[in-house]
Amino acid sequence: MSTISDCVFCKIVASQIPASIVHRDEQLVAFEDISPQAPMHVLIVPVEHVASTNALSDEHDALIGRAMRLAATLARQRGYSESGYRIVVNTGSDGGQTVNHLHIHVLGGRQFSWPPG
Ligand code: 5GP
Ligand code: ZN
């Protein structure tokens, strides 16, 4: 497993800093965003340190598939399957990525606008 010592999400995965964990398995950890932008704002991260979508290889295909299904499962558990929710992945500077450990935002509980700002 790859970890980066100064990566905040690696530290959350390793329980070195606290987070409200909502799911944990061998490949994925999900936790509440520290600055929620909606009634539901969960982040799903790979246990392995993957910097961004740019660092994905075919070895990660199943992982990403599982992460997307976990997003749907967590949204369903909170009652947002029918009303809808938003799944966001920011990559790089223009994409608005501020933490360089791949993460999937799962947001629900309000109407989201499009196009994004
Ligand atoms: P990005 O802008 O990279 O797509 O999203 C990073 C997200 O991580 C932000 O929504 C931010 O609030 C969240 N975040 C940053 N640091 C922490 C932290 O230490 N704990 C938790 N739970 N969330 C964090
Ligand atoms: Zn990391």
Side-chain angles (χ1 to χ4, degrees):
M1 173 182 37
S2 167
T3 60
I4 303 289
S5 60
D6 63 353
C7 171
V8 65
F9 289 173
C10 280
K11 288 179 177 171
I12 287 174
V13 166
S15 301
Q16 291 170 356
I17 63 171
S20 181
I21 306 278
V22 299
H23 174 90
R24 180 187 286 277
D25 62 48
E26 288 186 356
Q27 291 183 306
L28 297 168
V29 175
F31 51 92
E32 304 287 347
D33 195 291
I34 202 168
S35 178
Q37 302 301 308
M40 175 185 187
H41 190 172
V42 169
L43 303 175
I44 300 173
V45 305
V47 168
E48 173 192 356
H49 180 87
V50 178
S52 79
T53 53
N54 289 332
L56 290 170
S57 70
D58 56 4
E59 295 175 6
H60 299 112
D61 288 354
L63 172 78
I64 295 303
R66 288 197 61 236
M68 294 299 282
R69 290 217 302 126
L70 177 59
T73 296
L74 295 173
R76 182 173 64 245
Q77 288 173 351
R78 297 181 192 213
Y80 298 132
S81 289
E82 298 305 318
S83 56
Y85 50 94
R86 183 163 291 184
I87 296 171
V88 175
V89 180
N90 298 322
T91 299
S93 177
D94 278 3
Q97 184 177 9
T98 60
V99 177
N100 292 323
H101 181 136
L102 178 64
H103 48 283
I104 297 175
H105 297 258
V106 188
L107 300 124
R110 68 172 172 86
Q111 179 73 56
F112 298 103
S113 59
W114 193 264

